[in-house]
Amino acid sequence: MASLNTLPIPRVHPAAPAHEHAWLVESRHPTSEGIVLYVRCSACDTRRVDLQAHPHIPPAAMSTDLGGITPSAR
């Protein structure tokens, strides 16, 4: 018999298959820190904000991946 003081075992739901994102730039604008890029994955519509501090350095993520958020959902 289960104790009344125990919690259920958390279940892990399978996530969507992992893939390498193919980032597309939706918009960009210059700031004092560099160019801010608003990017979206072409496969899964995940969005992210990147910063390119120098033209010869690849952009770095400034935010976490915002999974599948559409502009109308904001």
Side-chain angles (χ1 to χ4, degrees), residues 35-69:
I35 305 293
V36 173
L37 307 164
Y38 297 90
V39 296
R40 175 183 54 85
C41 176
S42 63
C44 68
D45 286 336
T46 296
R47 287 179 161 74
R48 188 175 79 183
V49 179
D50 289 356
L51 174 67
Q52 186 170 15
H54 188 275
H56 298 290
I57 299 173
M62 292 177 54
S63 70
T64 60
D65 298 347
L66 305 172
I69 296 176

Side-chain angles (χ1 to χ4, degrees), residues 1-8:
M1 181 159 105
S3 170
L4 297 176
N5 297 323
T6 60
L7 296 174

Side-chain angles (χ1 to χ4, degrees), residues 13-41:
H13 297 286
H19 69 277
E20 185 171 338
H21 295 293
W23 298 112
L24 301 173
V25 176
E26 291 191 316
S27 66
R28 66 179 76 212
H29 66 271
T31 68
S32 61
E33 298 294 318
I35 305 293
V36 173
L37 307 164
Y38 297 90
V39 296
R40 175 183 54 85
C41 176

